[in-house]
Amino acid sequence: MKKVFRKIKKSRLFSLVCILAFIGVCMGTGSLIAYIQHESNPTDIVVTYFRAFVQQNYEKMYECLYQDEGYYIDKKMYMEYMKNLRKNYTIDSYNIKKPVEKDGRKSITINCKNDQTKKNKNFVVYIESKHHGISIIPDYYVDIADIMAKDVHITIPKSDRLELNGVLIDHKMAGVEEKGNNNIYYFERILNGKYKVSATNSVYARNQVQNISGEKVSIDLTKQRLTANDKYAKIITDNGKKVMNLFYKAVRNRDKNNKQLLSMFASKKVKNNVTKLVEDSEDIIFWPEKRNVDKFKVLDMKIRDLKTDIHYDEKNKNYILKCTYRYKYVSATDTSLANSYVDRISGMCSSKLILNYKAEKDKLIIQKVQLTNKNNKSK
């Protein structure tokens, strides 16, 4: 048997079969490589991305982005960024160049032409590939690492949850490590920009406005002052503005017992205090020392430069809303039929209104009202 095998092995026919098999393998390998190269063309995703840019379809652009584990790209921020970038381009025609690779990164440059100015401007798109499962052909995505911060850590109390610009961050968006009483959120990449970073729970929040960019960014919210969470912040701010509007309506109308205003407060003690504060404010826009002041009416009075701030008092379990503002006022008598004489007073008052709120069964009750004024009378 061995002699027969040796004879076959030395025969020309065997050699021919081996040569044909080798050629077949080479052809198959070449065909496979050609197929992979044909099917894995990064230009397709770039064309899709750029056409969306031309058509100002920023949502479609967002769908093309490479987002690996630990990446966080705020959709609203990204779309706004591209919207502003689009304003810098006038694209009458364009030329898509071949992919190039430099420093381990693939990119495609698109030369955009402005027919009116005859000037060209490049739009460079970086490409990232990713294999899914056992597939030998990768999927391609647009890589925006150039406009993303790298290695970002945010520390918050373990009892709180992390929000960025009001978006709840879950464990798919960032890595989370427990350290003592805190959680440290780790982002491999995050879109550059200004963020409202919040450690929040069902009662209060710790907020910080932060520009995030560059590398190795660390943010610690554990020592930030307490304020209301988004839910209570809106309710308290809206309520405070309503109180102000009703309060100054009562002041203008000399209506210290205004039922709508007093219904905003639960206890008799607070209502009596508000009545007294209305009287005090009446003396600001209707000067007590002025002759015939009872005949004056307010001609103009508008709240300006309103700023609000909410602090949560953890010890007393209440919210403190501080409103600072100023108002310019003009009051005058009616024109006299006898001599057409009008008596007039005016000035500018700077004020600070403080309202203390207690949350009881999802309802907010105003427990205390304070108002300080500084009246600058016009001469």
Side-chain angles (χ1 to χ4, degrees), residues 48-100:
T48 299
Y49 185 74
F50 181 71
R51 284 179 177 170
F53 180 70
V54 173
Q55 297 164 4
Q56 302 179 50
N57 185 353
Y58 307 116
E59 190 152 350
K60 183 63 178 178
M61 293 181 74
Y62 182 82
E63 294 173 1
C64 298
L65 300 182
Y66 177 73
Q67 300 192 54
D68 203 358
E69 189 174 337
Y71 277 50
Y72 180 66
I73 304 175
D74 186 296
K75 185 176 182 179
K76 186 177 179 181
M77 284 179 63
Y78 168 79
M79 292 173 65
E80 189 64 29
Y81 178 90
M82 285 300 159
K83 183 179 179 181
N84 291 329
L85 183 64
R86 183 65 179 86
K87 296 174 183 177
N88 299 323
Y89 283 82
T90 299
I91 306 171
D92 295 315
S93 60
Y94 57 87
N95 178 37
I96 302 176
K97 299 183 179 181
K98 292 182 178 181
V100 295

Side-chain angles (χ1 to χ4, degrees), residues 91-283:
I91 306 171
D92 295 315
S93 60
Y94 57 87
N95 178 37
I96 302 176
K97 299 183 179 181
K98 292 182 178 181
V100 295
E101 187 168 342
K102 185 178 180 181
D103 299 329
R105 295 185 74 194
K106 282 186 178 181
S107 68
I108 292 179
T109 298
I110 303 166
N111 187 250
C112 306
K113 299 179 181 179
N114 184 333
D115 291 343
Q116 185 174 1
T117 63
K118 305 299 181 183
K119 291 182 179 180
N120 297 345
K121 189 170 185 176
N122 288 335
F123 185 85
V124 181
V125 181
Y126 290 93
I127 306 155
E128 183 64 72
S129 62
K130 187 174 184 179
H131 290 272
H132 296 279
I134 61 172
S135 174
I136 60 175
I137 300 173
D139 289 329
Y140 287 100
Y141 303 90
V142 173
D143 178 19
I144 58 168
D146 288 355
I147 57 171
M148 297 183 76
K150 184 179 180 181
D151 193 11
V152 177
H153 296 79
I154 303 176
T155 304
I156 68 172
K158 193 183 293 185
S159 58
D160 296 348
R161 58 183 184 269
L162 177 64
E163 290 185 357
L164 297 177
N165 292 339
V167 177
L168 179 64
I169 304 300
D170 59 31
H171 290 206
K172 294 179 182 178
M173 302 173 184
V176 182
E177 176 189 347
E178 290 187 13
K179 190 172 182 180
N181 294 322
N182 301 324
N183 280 337
I184 301 174
Y185 285 73
Y186 168 73
F187 296 89
E188 185 179 337
R189 296 274 186 181
I190 186 170
L191 186 66
N192 290 342
K194 181 182 286 187
Y195 290 84
K196 178 186 175 185
V197 187
S198 302
T200 185
N201 55 47
S202 61
V203 179
Y204 55 80
R206 295 171 168 90
N207 297 326
Q208 181 173 324
V209 177
Q210 177 84 29
N211 273 311
I212 298 178
S213 63
E215 294 187 22
K216 298 186 182 302
V217 179
S218 293
I219 301 170
D220 187 351
L221 295 181
T222 58
K223 297 179 181 179
Q224 284 290 105
R225 71 190 285 268
L226 301 181
T227 184
N229 61 21
D230 286 347
K231 171 188 172 182
Y232 283 121
K234 186 178 188 313
I235 295 172
I236 291 170
T237 302
D238 290 347
N239 181 274
K241 289 179 179 178
K242 185 176 181 180
V243 168
M244 284 181 60
N245 289 334
L246 291 173
F247 180 86
Y248 286 104
K249 181 180 179 181
V251 171
R252 291 191 300 271
N253 295 331
R254 292 189 175 95
D255 186 11
K256 65 181 181 180
N257 294 315
N258 182 278
K259 292 181 179 180
Q260 195 175 2
L261 171 63
L262 296 181
S263 68
M264 301 288 291
F265 312 100
S267 73
K268 185 176 181 180
K269 180 180 178 181
V270 176
K271 290 181 180 184
N272 289 338
N273 183 43
V274 170
T275 298
K276 175 66 168 56
L277 293 175
V278 171
E279 289 183 313
D280 292 342
S281 293
E282 287 177 7
D283 289 344

